[in-house]
Amino acid sequence: ALPISTLWRALALASSLGTPNRAVLVGGPRFLGNYYFIYHARGLHKYIPRRAVLYIPGNDERKIHKIPSLNVDCAVLDCEDGVALNKKVEARLQILKTLEELDLGQTERCVRVNSVSSGLAEEDLEVILQTKHLPSSLMLPK
């Protein structure tokens, strides 16, 4: 299993790469409900309201392209239970493409990866952390 400390180190490494979307890790892993959220933000940390959160299967390109018109606070691109097992690779690649190419405006980008115990979380992170435009948060199932 992939420990949380490994995920934290992966985000720290990703934030130090000096990409145009350079990230600064804020705080540490925080438990909220059934998910661990690990935050990073550009520059100084500011409060981000999450009144309207939309979960979108990571492999559904049609639904992903609707996000900018929906005016939600946070779009969660799902790699976990919203995606069939045989579509996981497709979802990772579509999420990577979305993070790099689709302008979501003010909508926060979050990626929900598979659970560590599934053995798929590491593959999710390997693909997602390749992007030049990191999501503002990762959601890790309990």
Side-chain angles (χ1 to χ4, degrees):
L2 190 65
I4 294 297
S5 62
T6 301
L7 299 174
W8 189 246
R9 283 195 305 272
L11 281 176
L13 173 64
S15 72
S16 67
L17 295 177
T19 61
N21 186 19
R22 185 180 169 103
V24 176
L25 293 172
V26 177
R30 291 184 0 185
F31 184 74
L32 180 62
N34 291 327
Y35 299 97
Y36 287 98
F37 287 86
I38 299 176
Y39 291 97
H40 72 273
R42 292 184 195 139
L44 298 173
H45 180 66
K46 63 179 183 176
Y47 172 73
I48 300 172
R50 291 183 181 90
R51 298 165 296 217
V53 179
L54 178 66
Y55 288 77
I56 306 101
N59 64 322
D60 195 331
E61 189 173 0
R62 184 181 60 82
K63 290 179 183 173
I64 288 172
H65 283 286
K66 283 185 174 183
I67 298 169
S69 68
L70 298 176
N71 195 26
V72 295
D73 293 323
C74 180
V76 180
L77 302 170
D78 196 359
C79 281
E80 197 202 10
D81 59 358
V83 178
L85 189 58
N86 63 343
K87 300 284 187 177
K88 299 286 185 184
V89 173
E90 179 186 334
R92 290 181 194 116
L93 297 176
Q94 181 61 47
I95 289 170
L96 183 67
K97 181 179 174 185
T98 300
L99 292 171
E100 291 182 352
E101 298 175 6
L102 188 61
D103 181 14
L104 299 181
Q106 294 292 90
T107 300
E108 178 188 10
R109 298 167 185 203
C110 176
V111 177
R112 181 166 86 163
V113 297
N114 285 283
S115 68
V116 174
S117 62
S118 73
L120 299 170
E122 191 169 0
E123 293 172 38
D124 292 344
L125 290 171
E126 283 176 8
V127 173
I128 292 163
L129 293 177
Q130 291 177 20
T131 185
K132 295 174 186 169
H133 302 284
L134 295 170
S136 60
S137 57
L138 290 174
M139 189 179 295
L140 308 173
K142 185 175 169 183

